[in-house]
Amino acid sequence: MKMYQSSVESIAFPRLLTVGTVDFECLASLEILSLPVLTSAKGIRLVNTPLMHTLDLLNLLRIDRDLILDHVGVILEKKDPLTGLVLSREGAGTVDVSSISSIGGDLRLGLNSKVISFPVLTIVGQDFKVQDSLLESMVAPSLVTVGGGITIQSSSFLHLDNFDRILVSG
């Protein structure tokens, strides 16, 4: 499933159970992506979807290759009314990836959400990267194996819970 440079605002596949890849890029108007019963995918790549406020992957258990969420989500800026300078930036929206237990390839996050939780994720087969993100908290209490490197390059304060439990890192 591929889509590039479209003005679609909402995408929902309420009965889709499995998919090869989801590859969406430069969807400037996309606000909602709902795949509520999807259980497995070969790969998921969402890039440059700046208005997305809801990503529903509620039942996704396994990704054979990469999960890439890069420049995804709404950014709320507070500006000084006199100077126009940005006083603060924060992410908004909901990303539900709470059922994913394994990612066979890379996990790359560049999200504009405040919090992301991977409560049952146990393995990332390749690299784990967080970069150019407004994430403030990431929780992965079950993560024990990362097959590649771990890179955290965040533009905001990022609190990592339970990352002291990772047993293997390449």
Side-chain angles (χ1 to χ4, degrees), residues 11 22 24 30-36 38 44-47 49 51-60 63 67-70 72-73 92-98 100 109 111 113 116 118:
I11 298 172
V22 175
F24 295 162
L30 184 63
E31 296 179 14
I32 299 169
L33 175 57
S34 179
L35 305 165
L38 184 70
I44 295 180
R45 180 177 170 269
L46 303 175
V47 177
T49 55
L51 296 182
M52 183 179 285
H53 57 76
T54 303
L55 174 58
D56 178 3
L57 302 170
L58 182 63
N59 288 297
L60 183 60
I63 300 172
L67 172 59
I68 299 169
L69 305 175
D70 192 14
V72 172
T94 302
V95 178
D96 194 335
V97 290
S98 60
I100 298 175
L109 302 174
L111 291 171
S113 293
I116 191 165
F118 293 95

Side-chain angles (χ1 to χ4, degrees), residues 81-139:
L82 297 176
T83 65
L85 295 174
V86 176
L87 300 174
S88 67
R89 299 179 79 205
E90 65 180 47
T94 302
V95 178
D96 194 335
V97 290
S98 60
S99 296
I100 298 175
S101 63
S102 85
I103 297 170
D106 290 345
L107 171 59
R108 295 194 316 221
L109 302 174
L111 291 171
N112 295 327
S113 293
K114 284 185 172 187
V115 177
I116 191 165
S117 178
F118 293 95
V120 297
L121 181 65
T122 59
I123 183 169
V124 174
Q126 298 295 320
D127 292 336
F128 183 110
K129 295 181 180 180
V130 178
Q131 57 191 28
D132 300 325
S133 177
L134 293 176
L135 277 173
E136 293 178 7
S137 178
M138 181 169 28
V139 180

Side-chain angles (χ1 to χ4, degrees), residues 142-163:
S142 302
L143 183 62
V144 292
T145 303
V146 174
I150 298 174
T151 304
I152 308 291
Q153 295 174 326
S154 184
S155 58
S156 65
F157 174 76
L158 176 60
H159 177 74
L160 304 171
D161 282 335
N162 299 95
F163 275 72

